[in-house]
């Protein structure tokens, strides 16, 4: 290469005025949100705190579901639309185990055991179903154009909804289940904290830490990252690609199973089309944090949960919650498509 | 080195000059439309009542009309997904916008928007239902054009900030729009200053959509001045006409400069831009044209059910439309039309009727209509596994799907074709 060519390649591209305008507009929006938050915090500190608590509880659930999305996307770049419906199945299943078999409706040792059993069953079943789906449907489509696995995922989502619609599951109408704590809560100062939020956090945080440990410190995690990087190269290095992908699906399914039980314990109602909505929110959370990035998914989950509950309390009200979530998504896509913690990728030619 | 290869070069088919090929499909479509109309209008009433009820259960005219409208939507989505390769999961938004344009301009609703407008009475060649003269009434045919323009504009507005995103992200953003708009329709009852504006009438929806005027055709004896709510056969003519228009536009636009640019960016965006295709403008025009079809379909659907209901516009509609496009054969106008008609029929009456036959034959007591999720999901999954290119595949898609993926060849550094084919075959065997 001649010297001028090297010099030309090292010149930093000038930032175009549109980019500068977009960036400053994004920062302006962010600043507006910050000012709004501070204002509400000063004006209604107590309500703000209780909304924050509710938001953290929801956010933990979103984070669990989002982790499953983001892991699958990170490894095979598939938007797994059936993930939310898998979560729905786990919700109903854990309701059947905890509420119908053992009628766990109060905080006793037996009930705790029943819920723990339900948690285990939900995790195992959801993981098994997800692995089976991968084996039957996605594995054959790994080399196909991207639309094919996406549509398969949608088809699977319909099939899961069909299972959820059967009478032994929820049927077509929403169903109420008894939960361990009901609406019991304790107070810190004057802020009401439901027991379920504590339980959700007590289960979620260790699970998230385990996931991060698994991916970043263990041999299996190394294999996962290698497969996500380049499947063929990973295969040449002696990594069993199929098994690694199946393992990721098992992990994602297990997280969806855990989230299902926690959702049931904190909300108490199930419906066959519940998974779609929550799946979309969780996916937005995954994108918000930077899809394919574990910490990002957790961060995004908590952010979306808090944002949603603040919206319910202060901004537009509950009927606009999806609008708020998706407006955040679209704004993010316009200003920072790679997400908060994600890194920008350039297209390889 | 590629000069020595024996692989056939894919050539675009030369435009056919054979009159049978040029006029074949309009004549065939016309013949089919006339057949359906004549059968329902004159032959069916003459048959015995058993046959009539049986036929009414299998292929009622409302289901036929609805299927035709679905086909218009599917052709619109086909332009975005099938021709241009831009995955759109929020197509239902355009259906909704078209429907609400009809609700505003063709119903008494407009005088409820604002309390001060209570005596609003505008009539531009409109044909309001008897006793519902208030509000805005614009002629049906004008509303079709207006809705197409409004939706095209909406498509550009949605597309402009987001079209630089890549496939999955684009799908996600469109999905976001497809979720936001129905929520706006559902909650649009109290918006604006102090919640005094009622722009969509909430979940109650807008009813009392105007009738379709027949214009000069009312001089023909037997044709009324306006097509009433239950004049299903005459409505079928209108809807089939719009489907024919959608097919015609789809087929013709594809041969032209714009259509070839769409196909080029579908195959390889980067290569297309290097060859001088203005990416943004071409993508935006795909969105605009597809959305315009959606607007026309929205108006048709509003006149079909006589109103606009917010609950109809949900994500599953987008998914069903996508399934129609993919199962029919992405990019192929005939395939998409057939897929849309077939799936719409299965969704409305077909599944229940087939289930009844099954129950009669085997003596089972299965309620098939309650299993539509299973059937639909299984169709999608099985098609993706075993017949990815759809019922009537486009020749080009089939070739692409049978070739090994480009990235795979490159990642192995194989520039010699033989090697690439061997590895692809190996990958295919391994599954």
């Amino acid at each position: 290469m001649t010297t001028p060519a090297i010099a030309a390649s090292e010149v930093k591209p000038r930032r175009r005025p549109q980019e500068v305008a977009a960036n400053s507009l994004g920062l302006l929006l962010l600043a507006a949100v910050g000012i709004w938050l501070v204002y509400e915090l000063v004006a209604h500190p107590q309500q703000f705190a209780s909304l924050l608590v509710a938001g953290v509880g929801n956010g933990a659930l979103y984070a669990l579901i989002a982790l499953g999305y983001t892991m699958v996307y990170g490894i095979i770049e598939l938007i797994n639309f059936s993930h939310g419906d898998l979560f729905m199945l786990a919700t109903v299943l854990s309701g059947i185990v905890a509420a119908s078999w053992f009628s766990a409706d109060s905080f006793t040792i037996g009930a705790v055991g029943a819920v723990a059993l339900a948690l285990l069953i939900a995790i195992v079943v959801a993981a098994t179903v997800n692995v089976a789906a991968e084996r039957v449907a996605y594995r054959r489509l790994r080399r196909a154009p991207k639309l094919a696995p996406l549509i398969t995922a949608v088809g699977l989502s319909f099939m899961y909804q069909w299972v959820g619609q059967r009478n032994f599951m929820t049927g077509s109408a929403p169903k109420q289940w008894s939960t361990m704590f009901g609406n019991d809560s304790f107070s810190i100062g004057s802020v009401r904290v439901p027991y379920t939020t504590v339980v959700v956090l007590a289960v979620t945080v260790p699970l998230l830490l385990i996931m991060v440990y698994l991916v970043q410190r263990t041999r299996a995690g190394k294999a996962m990252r290698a497969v996500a990087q380049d499947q063929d190269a990973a295969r040449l290095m002696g990594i069993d690609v199929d098994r690694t992908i199946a393992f990721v699906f098992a992990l994602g399914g297990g997280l969806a199973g855990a989230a299902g039980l926690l959702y049931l314990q904190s909300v108490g109602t199930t419906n066959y089309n519940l998974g779609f909505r929550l799946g979309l929110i969780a996916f937005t959370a995954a994108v918000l944090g930077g899809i394919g990035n574990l910490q990002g998914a957790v961060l995004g989950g908590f952010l979306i949960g808090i944002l949603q509950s603040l919206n319910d309390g202060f901004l537009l009200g509950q009927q606009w919650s999806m609008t708020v979530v998706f407006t955040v998504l679209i704004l993010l896509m316009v200003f920072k498509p790679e997400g908060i913690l994600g890194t920008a990728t350039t297209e390889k030619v | 080195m590629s000069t020595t290869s024996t692989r056939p070069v894919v050539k675009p088919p030369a435009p056919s000059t054979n009159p049978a090929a040029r006029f074949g499909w309009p004549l065939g479509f016309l013949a089919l439309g006339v057949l359906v109309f004549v059968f329902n209008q004159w032959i069916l009433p003459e048959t015995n009542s058993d046959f009539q009820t049986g036929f009414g259960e299998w292929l009622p005219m409302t289901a036929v009309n609805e299927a035709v409208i679905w086909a218009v939507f599917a052709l619109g989505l086909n332009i975005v997904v099938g021709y241009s390769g831009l995955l759109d999961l929020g197509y239902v938004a355009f259906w909704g916008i078209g429907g609400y344009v009809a609700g505003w301009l063709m119903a008494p609703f407009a005088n409820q928007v604002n309390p001060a407008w209570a005596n609003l009475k505008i009539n531009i060649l409109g044909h309001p239902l008897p006793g519902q003269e208030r509000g805005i009434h614009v002629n049906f045919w004008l509303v079709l054009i207006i809705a197409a323009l409004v939706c095209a504009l909406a498509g550009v507005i949605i597309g402009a900030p987001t079209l630089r995103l890549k496939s999955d992200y684009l799908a996600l953003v469109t999905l976001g729009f497809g979720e936001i708009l129905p929520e706006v329709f559902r909650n649009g009852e109290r918006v604006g200053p102090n919640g005094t504006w009622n722009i969509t009438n909430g979940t109650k929806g807008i009813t009392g959509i105007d009738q379709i005027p027949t214009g000069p055709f009312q001089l023909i004896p037997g044709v009324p001045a306006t097509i009433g709510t239950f004049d299903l056969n005459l409505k079928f003519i209108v809807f089939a006409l719009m489907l024919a228009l959608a097919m015609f536009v789809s087929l013709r636009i594809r041969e032209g400069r714009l259509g070839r640019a769409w196909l080029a960016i579908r195959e390889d965006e980067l290569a297309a831009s290097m060859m001088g295709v203005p990416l943004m403008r071409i993508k935006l025009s795909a969105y605009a044209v597809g959305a315009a079809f959606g607007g026309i379909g929205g108006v048709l659907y509003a006149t079909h059910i006589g109103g606009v209901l917010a609950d109809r516009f949900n994500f599953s509609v987008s998914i069903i439309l996508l399934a129609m496009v993919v199962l029919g054969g992405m990019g192929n106008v005939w395939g998409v039309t057939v897929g849309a008609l077939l799936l719409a029929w299965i969704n409305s009456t077909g599944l229940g009727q087939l289930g009844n036959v099954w129950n009669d034959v085997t003596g089972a007591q299965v309620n098939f209509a309650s299993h539509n999720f299973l059937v639909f999901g299984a169709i999608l999954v099985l098609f993706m596994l075993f017949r990815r290119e759809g019922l009537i595949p486009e020749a080009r898609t089939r070739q692409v799907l049978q070739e090994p993926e480009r990235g795979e060849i490159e990642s192995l550094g194989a520039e010699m074709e033989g090697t690439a084919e061997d590895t692809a075959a190996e990958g295919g065997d391994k599954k």
Side-chain angles (χ1 to χ4, degrees):
Chain A
M1 220 185 261
T2 56
T3 330
I6 295 171
S9 71
E10 279 174 355
V11 170
K12 276 182 95 175
R14 267 186 59 207
R15 281 154 62 82
R16 289 182 305 162
Q18 296 103 302
E19 273 177 49
V20 176
N23 279 345
S24 37
L25 194 61
L27 289 176
L28 209 66
L29 277 172
L30 212 61
V33 170
I35 290 168
W36 170 67
L37 284 181
V38 171
Y39 167 76
E40 295 292 354
L41 177 62
V42 173
H44 322 271
Q46 191 197 326
Q47 205 189 348
F48 193 90
S50 49
L51 286 173
L52 208 61
V53 168
V56 168
N58 283 337
L61 286 175
Y62 295 156
L64 273 184
I65 313 175
L67 261 187
Y69 262 119
T70 212
M71 286 170 86
V72 167
Y73 189 91
I75 200 155
I76 55 172
E77 299 211 339
L78 159 73
I79 300 181
N80 188 2
F81 265 113
S82 63
H83 196 78
D85 299 282
L86 190 71
F87 157 79
M88 178 274 297
L89 286 187
T91 309
V92 182
L93 189 73
S94 59
I96 290 174
V97 174
S100 300
W101 292 2
F102 296 104
S103 47
D105 54 0
S106 57
F107 187 56
T108 58
I109 292 184
V112 171
V115 170
L117 180 69
L119 180 69
L120 196 67
I121 291 180
I123 287 178
V124 169
V125 170
T128 315
V129 170
N130 217 13
V131 171
E134 196 271 334
R135 183 72 193 80
V136 173
Y138 299 134
R139 190 170 289 185
R140 294 174 56 109
L141 297 175
R142 228 173 265 162
R143 305 223 179 261
K146 259 184 164 177
L147 194 58
L150 188 74
I151 297 216
T152 311
V154 171
L156 281 178
S157 140
F158 279 141
M159 287 163 96
Y160 292 161
Q161 287 192 39
W162 171 79
V163 175
Q165 225 181 9
R166 298 302 91 206
N167 280 331
F168 68 91
M169 299 295 268
T170 48
S172 298
K175 196 166 177 177
Q176 187 80 38
W177 305 86
S178 62
T179 57
M180 204 159 66
F181 291 109
N183 283 326
D184 293 346
S185 61
F186 64 94
S187 298
I188 300 174
S190 52
V191 178
R192 187 176 157 272
V193 182
Y195 284 116
T196 46
T197 306
V198 178
V199 173
V200 166
L201 285 178
V203 179
T204 308
V205 173
L207 277 177
L208 299 182
L209 290 178
I210 290 174
M211 280 305 137
V212 173
Y213 170 76
L214 209 65
V215 171
Q216 292 187 341
R217 293 274 185 274
T218 62
R219 229 179 132 75
K222 209 177 208 172
M224 274 182 225
R225 281 177 286 144
V227 172
Q229 199 75 231
D230 188 334
Q231 288 189 23
D232 291 317
R235 190 175 286 122
L236 291 176
M237 294 296 123
I239 294 170
D240 189 340
V241 172
D242 286 340
R243 215 179 62 189
T244 309
I245 292 178
F247 182 60
V248 170
F249 270 87
L251 285 182
L255 290 174
L261 175 113
L262 295 174
Y263 179 86
L264 185 93
Q265 287 300 318
S266 54
V267 177
T269 45
T270 55
N271 192 357
Y272 76 93
N273 57 13
L274 158 103
F276 161 67
R277 196 184 157 87
L278 276 160
L280 280 187
I281 295 176
F283 190 66
T284 308
V287 176
L288 183 67
I291 191 145
N293 182 320
L294 294 189
Q295 290 92 332
V298 177
L299 179 70
F302 280 109
L303 277 183
I304 292 270
I306 292 169
L307 180 79
Q308 224 183 7
S309 81
L310 287 179
N311 165 62
D312 292 354
F314 293 130
L315 194 59
L316 293 170
Q318 204 161 12
Q319 77 267 29
W320 293 100
S321 68
M322 289 303 257
T323 303
V324 169
V325 170
F326 281 112
T327 309
V328 169
L329 175 74
I330 291 167
L331 287 177
L332 185 80
M333 286 283 156
V334 173
F335 292 116
K336 197 164 168 29
E338 66 271 13
I340 297 176
L341 295 186
T343 45
T345 52
T346 45
E347 197 183 2
K348 281 174 274 181
V349 183
Chain B
M1 41 195 159
S2 58
T3 45
T4 56
S5 93
T6 51
R7 279 175 85 201
V9 177
V10 180
K11 272 189 192 164
S16 167
T17 47
N18 184 2
R22 285 183 64 189
F23 299 106
W25 87 261
L27 290 178
F29 188 86
L30 187 70
L32 192 69
V34 168
L35 184 76
V36 171
F37 176 75
V38 166
F39 182 79
N40 278 287
Q41 181 80 359
W42 290 300
I43 299 179
L44 196 60
E46 303 296 323
T47 53
N48 63 22
S49 61
D50 267 4
F51 184 79
Q52 270 183 37
T53 49
F55 197 80
E57 277 169 6
W58 276 93
L59 212 61
M61 212 52 206
T62 45
V64 174
N65 283 350
E66 199 169 320
V68 170
I69 297 171
W70 278 96
V72 174
F73 287 120
L75 284 175
L77 188 60
N78 181 41
I79 287 191
V80 182
V81 180
Y83 283 2
S84 326
L86 307 166
L87 186 51
D88 186 351
L89 291 178
Y91 193 74
V92 68
F94 302 121
W95 179 336
I97 294 172
Y100 276 94
V101 166
W104 262 71
L105 299 182
M106 293 173 67
F109 170 73
N111 62 15
Q112 300 173 29
V113 172
N114 189 336
W117 290 8
N119 287 319
L120 188 75
K121 209 172 186 179
I122 299 173
N123 192 329
I124 305 172
L125 303 172
H127 292 78
L129 292 166
Q132 303 197 327
E133 280 84 13
R134 292 194 304 173
I136 304 176
H137 297 277
V138 181
N139 190 298
F140 170 78
W141 303 100
L142 285 177
V143 171
L144 279 183
I145 298 169
I146 295 171
L149 291 179
V150 169
C151 279
L153 187 69
V156 171
I157 290 172
I158 291 177
T162 55
L163 272 175
R164 60 201 171 100
L165 300 169
K166 286 281 170 304
S167 59
D168 280 340
Y169 289 90
L170 183 64
L172 209 62
V173 170
T174 52
L175 188 149
F177 277 106
E179 282 295 300
I180 289 176
L181 273 169
E183 201 150 78
V184 171
F185 297 149
R186 265 200 304 282
N187 299 324
E189 212 167 353
R190 292 170 180 285
V191 291
N194 305 323
T196 47
W197 282 66
N198 170 14
I199 55 170
T200 63
N201 214 14
T203 47
K204 293 188 287 294
I206 302 171
T207 50
I209 299 279
D210 289 357
Q211 299 180 322
I212 303 171
T214 49
F217 294 100
Q218 58 186 289
L219 298 175
I220 303 168
V223 176
T226 59
I227 299 173
T229 318
F230 298 104
D231 241 340
L232 295 173
N233 292 333
L234 289 176
K235 265 190 193 171
F236 170 76
I237 295 183
V238 176
F239 296 162
L241 192 71
M242 285 298 138
L243 177 59
L245 179 75
M247 288 168 89
F248 179 76
V249 171
S250 295
L251 285 170
R252 292 301 301 165
I253 210 168
R254 185 191 162 134
E255 302 298 326
R257 196 182 168 79
L258 189 58
R260 280 178 287 137
W262 287 341
L263 295 189
I265 61 168
R266 181 186 75 183
E267 300 303 343
D268 193 331
E269 208 177 294
L270 201 69
S273 74
M274 293 298 161
M275 302 307 280
V277 175
L279 284 185
M280 267 317 268
R281 211 186 321 151
I282 295 296
K283 285 183 180 179
L284 276 180
S285 57
Y287 254 58
V289 175
F293 281 36
I296 290 174
V299 177
L300 293 185
Y301 193 74
T303 48
H304 170 66
I305 62 168
V308 194
L309 296 170
D311 292 339
R312 302 265 170 141
F313 307 119
N314 50 37
F315 177 67
S316 65
V317 172
S318 299
I319 288 298
I320 292 171
L321 281 170
L322 191 65
M324 286 169 175
V325 171
V326 172
L327 299 192
M330 226 164 67
N332 184 323
V333 173
W334 310 114
V336 170
T337 311
V338 170
L341 294 176
L342 208 65
L343 278 189
W345 177 71
I346 287 181
N347 237 354
S348 59
T349 55
L351 189 60
Q353 286 306 311
L354 289 173
N356 287 348
V357 170
W358 172 259
N359 284 348
D360 287 346
V361 171
T362 61
Q365 294 286 323
V366 186
N367 179 7
F368 271 77
S370 77
H371 295 280
N372 65 342
F373 270 128
L374 178 69
V375 172
F376 217 73
I379 289 178
L380 285 178
V381 173
L382 292 177
F383 255 81
M384 281 304 114
L385 287 179
F386 299 113
R387 202 176 161 79
R388 218 172 296 152
E389 64 269 26
L391 280 176
I392 309 176
E394 191 198 19
R396 200 191 295 254
T397 321
R398 197 172 354 183
Q399 269 162 348
V400 170
L401 287 175
Q402 282 165 2
E403 270 175 37
E405 207 181 306
R406 207 174 126 250
E408 193 182 327
I409 306 170
E410 284 171 354
S411 67
L412 291 167
E415 277 169 45
M416 279 160 293
E417 324 253 297
T419 330
E421 265 160 24
D422 290 346
T423 22
E426 185 196 310
D429 285 343
K430 242 186 139 187
K431 299 218 171 77

